[in-house]
Amino acid sequence: MFHPTVFDNIKIAFENQLYDYDNLDGILMIKGRTDILNLAVMSREFTLAFKLTDGFKVTSEVVLLSSVKELSDEILETPGSNPGCSLLLRFYMEVTDPPIQCPAVERILTGIWGPELKPEQSLSFRYGGEEQIYNNCIQLTFKRQITEEQMEDIPNLLAHLLQSAEELENV
């Protein structure tokens, strides 16, 4: 019989809560979902993207990653290992005034998540466009693995994620 991995259990916990926010509470709309098994390196990646129901500017994304090491440590029950997965949060938005808007994004996210979770912003633009509009990909990378022990923290984490998306809508 199939025994779900830590990655699967955490993925399902995020899915359940976010789909409830979509289907039951109506506070967000799921815009995309991927569940990738990379057979070349035996890694997993799960993403769930959404927009706030009242939001138009910001797309938010929860990203879970797991490597072959985490998977093998769990399946082989490697002594001394504590299998988990990596968590990233991403926000996508357009900016027209990077010197003003990017520091504002950093202030907002640092205020919500604290200084230990520094946002990384990557700007890109389409060459030849009439108006200089930048696509800003903002990423928050959690420095430690998350395990099943942190599953009860998911509702609080998602509350911070929703607050982040809401405040970024006003940048």
Side-chain angles (χ1 to χ4, degrees), residues 64-155:
L64 289 176
L65 304 162
S66 185
S67 71
V68 70
K69 172 142 179 43
E70 284 90 25
L71 185 59
S72 67
D73 283 350
E74 182 175 1
I75 292 171
L76 299 173
E77 298 177 4
T78 304
S81 69
N82 190 18
C85 52
S86 299
L87 174 65
L88 310 172
L89 302 177
R90 289 192 190 122
F91 304 93
Y92 299 93
M93 61 188 289
E94 291 182 345
V95 296
T96 54
D97 191 358
I100 300 296
Q101 291 174 292
C102 291
V105 165
E106 186 165 349
R107 273 191 307 278
I108 288 169
L109 295 177
T110 302
I112 294 170
W113 296 96
E116 63 278 351
L117 199 59
K118 185 163 175 55
E120 298 172 17
Q121 299 184 61
S122 299
L123 299 176
S124 62
F125 66 94
R126 185 176 304 268
Y127 176 75
E130 290 180 25
E131 202 176 330
Q132 201 65 32
I133 297 174
Y134 296 88
N135 296 310
N136 192 358
C137 174
I138 307 128
Q139 182 167 295
L140 297 172
T141 304
F142 288 78
K143 297 193 182 358
R144 63 179 173 90
Q145 293 266 322
I146 62 168
T147 65
E148 289 175 326
E149 284 101 41
Q150 285 88 36
M151 287 190 48
E152 61 191 32
D153 296 336
I154 290 175

Side-chain angles (χ1 to χ4, degrees), residues 2 7 10 15 29 31 43 48 50 59-60 67 75-77 84 91 103 109 122 134 137 154-155 159 166:
F2 172 73
F7 178 89
I10 294 171
E15 273 182 313
M29 296 171 292
K31 293 294 184 182
S43 67
L48 197 57
F50 65 88
T59 299
S60 305
S67 71
I75 292 171
L76 299 173
E77 298 177 4
F91 304 93
L109 295 177
S122 299
Y134 296 88
C137 174
I154 290 175
E166 188 175 307

Side-chain angles (χ1 to χ4, degrees), residues 10-22 25 27-28 30 46 48-50 52 60-64 87-91 112-113 142 146 150-166:
I10 294 171
K11 176 186 88 162
I12 294 298
F14 273 108
E15 273 182 313
N16 288 343
Q17 186 73 54
L18 287 169
Y19 276 107
D20 283 352
Y21 285 158
D22 182 347
D25 301 330
I27 59 176
L28 59 82
I30 302 294
F46 170 75
L48 197 57
F50 65 88
L52 297 175
S60 305
E61 195 172 66
V62 174
V63 182
L64 289 176
L87 174 65
L88 310 172
L89 302 177
R90 289 192 190 122
F91 304 93
I112 294 170
W113 296 96
F142 288 78
I146 62 168
Q150 285 88 36
M151 287 190 48
E152 61 191 32
D153 296 336
I154 290 175
N156 191 36
L157 184 139
L158 290 177
H160 282 74
L161 176 61
L162 294 173
Q163 179 187 356
S164 299
E166 188 175 307

Side-chain angles (χ1 to χ4, degrees), residues 1 41 44 49 69 126:
M1 185 171 154
V41 293
R44 301 259 327 251
K69 172 142 179 43
R126 185 176 304 268

